[in-house]
Amino acid sequence: MTTYVWDYLPEYEAEREDLLDAVDTVFRSGKLVLGPSVGGFEREFADYHGVAHCTGVDNGTNAVKLGLQALGVGPGDEVITVSNTAAPTVVAIDGTGATPVFVDIREQDFLMDTAQVAAAITPRTKALLPVHLYGQCVDMAPLRELADRHGLVILEDCAQAHGARHHGRLAGTMGDAAAFSFYPTKVLGAYGDGGAVITSDDEIDGDMRRLRYYGMEKTYYVVRTPGHNSRLDEVQAEILRRKLRRLDGYLAGRRTVAERYEQGLGDLADRGLLLPATNEGNDHVYYVYVVRHPRRDEIIEALKRYDISLNISYPWPVHTNSGFAHLGYGTGSLPVTERLAGEIFSLPMYPSLPAGLQDKVISAVREAVLAL
């Protein structure tokens, strides 16, 4: 039996009755699009974060794209972000007509090196897009200072950081708006695609609601500019409402898994295996459990003998993708990002990961590392 990095089936078996009831609730409601489940989830997700507004959309990519557009980003603008992220972050920037501008990451935590952002700001810079990657937050204080000084907006990419905190503040509450994904693998995942943008700014929220609904405020009447068909599905919204009530339990489960990895693998640092580091002031939620080793590929190959399938997040930094060659970032332009892409890999991580299965992974990783 193959051991995967992520598996939803144990969670589904534990929550099956409630999830099927969620589907039945929607189907019996008589309202299948932008109905009570979407509205209820939007209120509850906003309340969880202590913000005024949440707009549900169809996926995390459009959450970033529409969030940027609601913040006024468009053709001719530049958005500063990182290349060590899932491609959708950058695809969304490109979708607004703006130009992605990359800064390098920090070696110790794989997050945006905020010390490099000031030098990347130009007269065309409109927005900063920090990615709270792998489950912990970017240091937001220097970004807020730069944004205020230069008149920029901040959209937080929180696709991998539901429930993470930075000096007590939840991810998504430190910028002008924040984008979330509810793809099934996420800390708060749906049973299909979904996304949302949260903000406490009434105007941003109003623009988001128009943009996700063709640009309409009333049926068949487009105001200001055309938008998109990007509505969060009622079934996914009702499932997310149920799962939001269990979010703190999911976070506790992920931290338990992380603790077991620390206990089982923490002594291998002198053999080159480096485990995730949590920054001071951060509460890590371990969306993925990313470790490092200079002989990563050999370890992954060795674990195949145990039928353990690992993942790399991400093997190709976005700026090295041929689809973004037009941005002009050659090899060596982001040296830390490029080097770490050859060393990082993810161990299985989800709150319902059985302890016995994790012990199997720990034993296999130990054997592979010690054999190098």
Side-chain angles (χ1 to χ4, degrees), residues 137-189:
C137 296
V138 175
D139 183 6
M140 293 297 293
L143 296 183
R144 185 75 269 172
E145 190 276 328
L146 284 171
D148 292 343
R149 189 195 325 162
H150 294 277
L152 309 177
V153 293
I154 298 177
L155 179 70
E156 299 174 64
D157 184 338
C158 300
Q160 302 187 10
H162 310 73
R165 291 181 182 271
H166 180 59
H167 295 291
R169 298 188 63 179
L170 279 166
T173 65
M174 296 171 280
D176 297 285
F180 290 82
S181 168
F182 304 121
Y183 186 74
T185 63
K186 303 303 184 185
V187 176
L188 179 63

Side-chain angles (χ1 to χ4, degrees), residues 57 78 131-132 153 162 181 185 199 261 297 304 337 341 346 362 365:
V57 296
E78 293 177 347
V131 180
H132 300 315
V153 293
H162 310 73
S181 168
T185 63
T199 183
Y261 278 133
D297 294 345
K304 290 180 180 178
T337 297
S346 303
I362 290 171
V365 170

Side-chain angles (χ1 to χ4, degrees), residues 64-81 88-102 122 124-129 153 155 323-324 326-327 329:
V64 176
K65 179 184 176 183
L66 302 189
L68 288 171
Q69 290 179 317
L71 289 166
V73 174
D77 293 330
E78 293 177 347
V79 178
I80 298 174
T81 191
T89 302
V90 185
V91 169
I93 296 171
D94 184 76
T96 69
T99 300
V101 174
F102 299 118
T122 75
R124 294 175 57 193
T125 305
K126 178 70 174 181
L128 308 180
L129 206 172
V153 293
L155 179 70
F324 289 104
H326 62 282
L327 297 176
Y329 289 87

